[in-house]
Amino acid sequence: MTTITTTRVLAGRPVFPIGLGCMSLSHGYGPAADAAAAEALLLGALDRGVTLFDTAALYGFGHNEELLGRVLAPHRSRFMLASKCGIFRENGQRRIDGRPDTLRQTCEDALRRLRTDVIDLYYLHRWDKSVPIEDSVGALSDLVRAGKIRHIGLSEVSAATLRRAHAVHPVAAVQSEYSLWSREVEIAVLQACRELGAALVAFSPLGRAFLADGVPDAAALDAADLRRRMPRFQPGAFEHNQALLEPLRQMARERGCTPAQLALAWLLHQGEYIIPIPGTTRLAHLDENLAAAGVQLDAETCGVLARLFSRDPGGNRYGTIPGVLMTLRGPPPAPGQFLTH
């Protein structure tokens, strides 16, 4: 039996094993959350012991950082604040730009919106491949020396890129999608994180609510919901993926927990350096997610779950969304590079 500790270490600080991804409060799955409901969710998370709040300049194009600044600034000493740079809006489009001057300006804007003097963990949201990763990380290291950020993170990078970046300045965390049905990081990134002492912060740990049994009908999703345009939620692929859920439901029933809790518990049992950041707009779902830290699994159960989802899910994680493609300085995005997170 593996025991989950009450805290994990991120950037040298203890944090609750499950953090809060804040994107859905501003965009991604339909209209932004009502201001009062968003405030209640953030303060509720803080009161329940959440110590990692994750945002980005991209989320709502500044709206999410402003929300966290307005609600959480009075409680700044009680939590670790993570944000991201390198993707922003220009002329109505998302643009990846990792030039040092851009990253420095994005940080200044983020500090203002977040109403803080320093960001604890600042990620390069995506690597702009027209700029050497060493140059982008070098700019972030300048921000560390200036006292504007405390630690550097990278999002969705390969193990090789992580090592190159780490040679310039220690990388405290890599944020990548990781869940039972998104396992690419197991190829090399997890090992690199272990060797370098970096945490793996797992976004979409519930497969965008799929593993929480929260998407019974993809066709009924809000027209603005990003999942309407993701390959895994398209006709054919969605039905294929639905077949994966019944064994998960059955195993959850046998263990007295929900599918969401079982999926999060599996992720927590993959290593003490892994910190999931599920997002939600509902306090009931927040309580459900946080309770996963108390679900104990043995190695046999973890192995069964891994094998159940070992076959490739129907559809890629990301697709091309007509009219919404991010512009990129340099060559066009590689397959799968289009990003809403």
Side-chain angles (χ1 to χ4, degrees):
M1 182 78 70
T2 301
T3 300
I4 298 176
T5 58
T6 55
T7 60
R8 298 198 163 188
V9 177
L10 176 61
R13 288 175 53 181
V15 295
F16 188 77
I18 298 173
L20 181 66
C22 299
M23 183 185 81
S24 60
L25 294 172
S26 295
H27 87 229
Y29 302 103
D34 171 80
E39 180 173 350
L41 190 284
L42 291 171
L43 293 177
L46 196 64
D47 290 342
R48 286 160 171 78
V50 173
T51 47
L52 171 62
F53 290 78
D54 183 273
T55 183
L58 174 66
Y59 303 163
F61 303 112
H63 175 274
N64 202 246
E65 288 183 328
E66 290 175 350
L67 170 65
L68 267 64
R70 177 174 58 81
V71 175
L72 295 180
H75 313 281
R76 183 67 183 85
S77 63
R78 296 173 57 187
F79 65 93
M80 176 174 281
L81 176 62
S83 193
K84 308 177 193 73
C85 61
I87 307 180
F88 62 99
R89 182 168 65 176
E90 182 177 71
N91 299 322
Q93 291 187 310
R94 294 171 182 139
R95 179 180 176 188
I96 297 176
D97 188 341
R99 291 175 295 179
D101 286 347
T102 301
L103 302 186
R104 284 189 282 266
Q105 184 58 56
T106 305
C107 181
E108 293 294 339
D109 295 340
L111 291 168
R112 173 179 49 79
R113 289 190 292 259
L114 290 163
R115 304 186 188 185
T116 186
D117 295 327
V118 62
I119 298 169
D120 298 309
L121 177 59
Y122 205 41
Y123 294 93
L124 183 65
H125 204 161
R126 285 299 182 274
W127 175 28
D128 175 356
K129 294 185 179 180
S130 66
V131 177
I133 190 65
E134 291 84 358
D135 291 356
S136 295
V137 172
L140 295 178
S141 69
D142 290 341
L143 293 173
V144 173
R145 285 187 287 272
K148 296 181 184 295
I149 67 175
R150 291 195 170 102
H151 299 278
I152 293 172
L154 302 175
S155 182
E156 293 275 76
V157 296
S158 69
T161 301
L162 169 59
R163 294 181 193 281
R164 285 174 55 192
H166 194 80
V168 175
H169 188 280
V171 175
V174 173
Q175 186 170 139
S176 287
E177 184 168 356
Y178 188 27
S179 70
L180 277 167
W181 80 333
S182 293
R183 311 265 284 279
E184 293 92 337
V185 296
E186 294 177 351
I187 298 171
V189 172
L190 292 185
Q191 180 178 345
C193 286
R194 287 194 298 268
E195 292 177 359
L196 299 175
L200 191 288
V201 177
F203 76 80
S204 295
L206 294 175
R208 304 184 186 278
F210 176 80
L211 296 171
D213 210 3
V215 192
D217 182 6
L221 295 171
D222 187 274
D225 193 309
L226 62 90
R227 293 170 293 186
R228 291 289 296 269
R229 298 170 293 280
M230 286 184 159
R232 291 184 179 179
F233 294 89
Q234 300 307 304
F238 183 72
E239 289 74 21
H240 167 87
N241 290 324
Q242 282 285 321
L244 300 172
L245 284 182
E246 184 49 42
L248 182 67
R249 297 185 191 110
Q250 179 60 35
M251 292 184 69
R253 286 192 293 266
E254 292 171 354
R255 286 155 183 79
C257 64
T258 67
Q261 290 168 342
L262 186 58
L264 287 171
W266 177 86
L267 197 54
L268 289 168
H269 282 78
Q270 301 312 298
E272 286 290 321
Y273 62 101
I274 295 171
I275 303 167
I277 50 169
T280 184
T281 60
R282 302 181 185 180
L283 284 168
H285 288 167
L286 175 67
D287 288 332
E288 178 184 0
N289 293 341
L290 297 183
V295 176
Q296 301 300 321
L297 303 178
D298 56 29
E300 181 180 0
T301 300
C302 288
V304 170
L305 284 167
R307 288 189 294 275
L308 282 173
F309 286 85
S310 61
R311 59 184 175 133
D312 290 337
N316 294 323
R317 289 195 292 143
Y318 294 114
T320 298
I321 302 179
V324 196
L325 268 175
M326 291 183 292
T327 58
L328 177 68
R329 291 187 339 97
Q337 189 180 346
F338 174 79
L339 232 226
T340 48
H341 183 276

